[in-house]
Amino acid sequence: MEDTGPNRSARNGGLGLTNTLSSGDRIVSFLIGQFSLVWIDQQQSLNFNLNVIESEWGRGANLDVLASKLAADPSHSIKAVCIVHNETATGVTNNLAAVRKLLDEYGHPALVPVNGVSSICSLDLRMDEWGIDVALTGSQKAPSMPTRMGIVCASPKAMEAAKSAKSVRVFFDWNDYLKLYKMGTYWPYTPSIQLLHGLRTALDLFFEEGFDNVTARHSRLGKATRLAVEAWGLKNCTQEEWWFHLVLTALLWWFHLVLTALIIVKRAWTRYNLIMGLGLKKVAGKVFRIGHLGKLNDVLSLRNKKHFGVEMVLRDVGYPVKLGSGVAAAAAYLQNTIPMIPSRI
């Protein structure tokens, strides 16, 4: 479906909630960074009875607190547990399988809506096996397409919940789609045909490479970038290895405290025409972010901002990095781990 306005990822998260829940329903949501915060702001605006579980930015969802809330809810008043799979503000990936395990242990029927904007089609996300009820992404992330298309997946359980959901909704009402599906029309609004053709091509490329190869490639790129960061003497914002984000690396910036991370990002843009992510809200000025998501191969990751560019910027601002140190560390790892291309053997 097409979303032509700003904050499209947040709105797509909202349509997953309004189509399955009613105003006043009790939901639990994890706050671990800027993009989970945006979703929570929206949940508040939609008048849900919101219970927020907050973690220090750089850490993942606090599942111990979730367990205590589930244990204290024998009447099953919690209707949904909302979680961002990949928090790109801090480079943290949450364990969705562990959330499902907790719900099963307590026999709790809460829905599990997931913001998978940066993880769907890049990381392992098993909707059926992990009992995910709503999953959403955007065309601009792993599919490597232009923006303006929101992609939402719903489980049979979510579709059943939609029958009794009372949240006010007009645009993106699932019922509009379902009615027309039965009539054979398939689309209640004017579709963006160009984006649909682009999505078809993106999926063809995805299936040609193969899901396991896609996830393995992102894993390699994440590891190579973390090795480069280590060689530069910098630290990852993500505080524990099991939370490492495979499609983005957030670097803590501490050198010369008068030089904020904003200076790094601005220098990259104004001198080298490189775009890097800023730190947001609580980590503003303390973090800069390197993305390695989408249709990016291992060799290209060495050629662009991921390694060469960052080293030059760091030298520009006076940080004592040895040129080539991060590139060498990443290249050594990739040279030993990149597999042969099956179709060219």
Side-chain angles (χ1 to χ4, degrees):
M1 58 187 65
E2 184 181 12
D3 183 351
T4 58
N7 298 320
R8 58 191 62 83
S9 295
R11 282 220 296 270
N12 292 332
L15 71 92
L17 300 177
T18 57
N19 277 280
T20 55
L21 299 168
S22 301
S23 178
D25 277 352
R26 183 185 177 196
I27 64 174
V28 172
S29 199
F30 295 97
L31 173 53
I32 63 169
Q34 170 65 10
F35 296 99
S36 53
L37 175 62
V38 169
W39 201 15
I40 285 169
D41 285 345
Q42 185 183 62
Q43 292 159 9
Q44 291 172 328
S45 298
L46 292 170
N47 295 317
F48 296 119
N49 177 6
L50 183 60
N51 296 173
V52 176
I53 300 177
E54 185 170 4
S55 297
E56 179 184 353
W57 288 28
R59 302 183 68 83
N62 190 328
L63 299 186
D64 290 337
V65 176
L66 175 61
S68 67
K69 288 185 179 295
L70 295 176
D73 186 35
S75 63
H76 299 160
S77 65
I78 298 172
K79 301 303 180 184
V81 176
C82 305
I83 187 167
V84 173
H85 190 190
N86 265 8
E87 176 55 75
T88 51
T90 56
V92 168
T93 299
N94 280 311
N95 188 337
L96 300 183
V99 174
R100 168 47 51 196
K101 183 179 178 182
L102 272 179
L103 287 166
D104 289 347
E105 285 179 359
Y106 288 96
H108 204 290
L111 295 169
V112 182
V114 170
N115 177 327
V117 169
S118 63
S119 62
I120 293 175
C121 290
S122 62
L123 303 185
D124 192 6
L125 195 159
R126 307 179 190 184
M127 190 162 178
D128 294 339
E129 183 178 334
W130 296 344
I132 296 169
D133 294 298
V134 180
L136 63 104
T137 188
S139 56
Q140 77 279 13
K141 293 298 184 179
S144 300
M145 293 169 55
T147 59
R148 297 188 179 277
M149 177 179 281
I151 302 167
V152 181
C153 306
S155 71
K157 182 178 174 182
M159 298 302 292
E160 186 63 29
K163 295 177 181 178
S164 58
K166 303 299 183 185
S167 290
V168 175
R169 54 192 183 274
V170 179
F171 194 49
F172 290 166
D173 187 334
W174 293 356
N175 290 323
D176 293 341
Y177 287 87
L178 294 173
K179 290 174 185 176
L180 291 181
Y181 286 163
K182 294 176 182 178
M183 296 169 58
T185 305
Y186 303 117
W187 210 273
Y189 318 108
T190 302
S192 177
I193 298 300
Q194 297 91 335
L195 285 175
L196 289 172
H197 282 304
L199 180 60
R200 177 68 270 170
T201 299
L203 290 174
D204 287 342
L205 292 171
F206 177 83
F207 290 121
E208 179 183 0
E209 184 175 1
F211 178 70
D212 290 342
N213 294 327
V214 170
T215 57
R217 173 168 54 82
H218 283 97
S219 179
R220 286 195 306 274
L221 293 174
K223 176 67 173 179
T225 303
R226 291 193 298 275
L227 288 171
V229 171
E230 188 176 308
W232 297 330
L234 296 176
K235 293 184 179 181
N236 202 310
C237 179
T238 310
Q239 295 185 21
E240 301 290 349
E241 184 175 353
W242 52 81
W243 288 321
F244 279 157
H245 199 312
L246 302 185
V247 300
L248 178 139
T249 301
L251 289 74
L252 287 173
W253 179 248
W254 52 267
F255 180 71
H256 287 177
L257 295 181
V258 294
L259 297 176
T260 69
L262 173 60
I263 293 175
I264 301 289
V265 175
K266 184 176 181 179
R267 184 71 172 190
W269 169 248
T270 56
R271 185 173 190 192
Y272 299 110
N273 197 31
L274 300 178
I275 299 174
M276 292 190 288
L278 289 166
L280 303 169
K281 289 291 176 69
K282 287 189 177 183
V283 292
K286 303 174 183 177
V287 162
F288 64 96
R289 298 177 294 144
I290 301 173
H292 28 88
L293 168 67
K295 198 63 179 175
L296 177 68
N297 69 37
D298 306 79
V299 176
L300 284 177
S301 74
L302 292 173
R303 287 175 53 190
N304 61 15
K305 69 182 180 185
K306 307 303 186 293
H307 304 102
F308 284 119
V310 172
E311 291 185 353
M312 290 189 290
V313 173
L314 292 176
R315 283 287 290 267
D316 279 359
V317 301
Y319 181 74
V321 64
K322 179 181 178 181
L323 289 179
S325 57
V327 174
Y333 169 74
L334 292 173
Q335 194 270 328
N336 288 316
T337 56
I338 298 174
M340 297 294 289
I341 301 172
S343 63
R344 301 178 186 176
I345 298 175

